[in-house]
Amino acid sequence: MSSSSPAPTRSGPPAPPPAPDLREHGGGGQTSDTRMFMQLLAFTGCRDTAAVVEDVKQNAKTGAVVYEDLNDPFGVAVLSFSTDPADFVAHTRALVQNGPLAELTPRPRYTMFGRSYSLGYERDLEDTLVGRPKRHALDPKMPWVVWYPLRRSGAFTRLPAEEQKTILKEHGTIGFSFGGAGVASDIRLACHGLDANDNDFVIGLMGPELTPLSQLVQTMRGTVQTSTYLEKLGPFFVGRVVYQSPMEA
């Protein structure tokens, strides 16, 4: 009596991997595909800020803010924001290529671009992604600004999720303290793959006075995230608002 091996079974093609979930997630199952994109462009050689303001006021097709640079007496910067990233190529680009801004010298080291994002527990996801960053950028009571990019070290991303949350909570508690006192607000943007220098985030700090913003950065230096897990911080753009587009724009 002869024995024979079972015939090999043929399997079909491997199942495709699941599609990535590209939505932002908030508390209670909220999801959104809408984000606020923001771009800071800085220039030097400006001898007529009023002309820049008038040009932005008349010709900007997106929300916009104009700053005078604290550290450069000839420096200005324009913050543009929109929920459509194509607007920065179609409209902000045209604004810079024409009018007073075209006569100035760009300062690419201060160029920053990012998108709003969620942490997963937000009570009002749409406001977190769109309303909040817009309000903070256009708040007339917060004329001083400090904008800077940062990159976390790879070691942070390898930490367990709960340990990451604990580290970020320390950072957030300090921010809430300054915010609750009315001396600072912030805009947090992700810029993974969007930044020329491979930064992870762009941070904007806004306040009625400059000193608390400096003290906020100083206080953050002592946190575990900043002291242990930040690979790069800055450069810092420090400025004061000279124009903000209307909130309804």
Side-chain angles (χ1 to χ4, degrees), residues 131-204:
R132 183 179 184 273
K134 183 176 181 178
R135 279 197 311 276
H136 287 192
L138 299 179
D139 189 344
K141 297 179 181 178
M142 302 284 187
W144 286 99
V145 298
V146 178
W147 283 96
Y148 59 95
L150 64 87
R151 180 169 68 236
R152 290 178 183 150
S153 68
F156 180 86
T157 64
R158 293 192 294 270
L159 292 174
E162 286 304 314
E163 189 171 350
Q164 290 186 25
K165 289 180 181 179
T166 300
I167 292 172
L168 294 175
K169 183 178 180 181
E170 178 191 23
H171 222 61
T173 298
I174 296 172
F176 282 126
S177 175
F178 277 74
V183 297
S185 62
D186 70 343
I187 295 172
R188 302 184 305 274
L189 307 171
C191 61
H192 304 85
L194 305 175
D195 179 81
N197 296 307
D198 193 30
N199 288 300
D200 298 324
F201 298 95
V202 171
I203 308 298

Side-chain angles (χ1 to χ4, degrees), residues 204-233:
L205 304 178
M206 294 83 192
E209 302 292 341
L210 181 59
T211 299
L213 303 184
S214 175
Q215 292 173 325
L216 175 55
V217 174
Q218 179 184 6
T219 305
M220 293 290 192
R221 297 281 186 179
T223 64
V224 174
Q225 177 182 223
T226 303
S227 63
T228 306
Y229 292 109
L230 280 195
E231 187 173 309
K232 181 183 177 185
L233 193 66

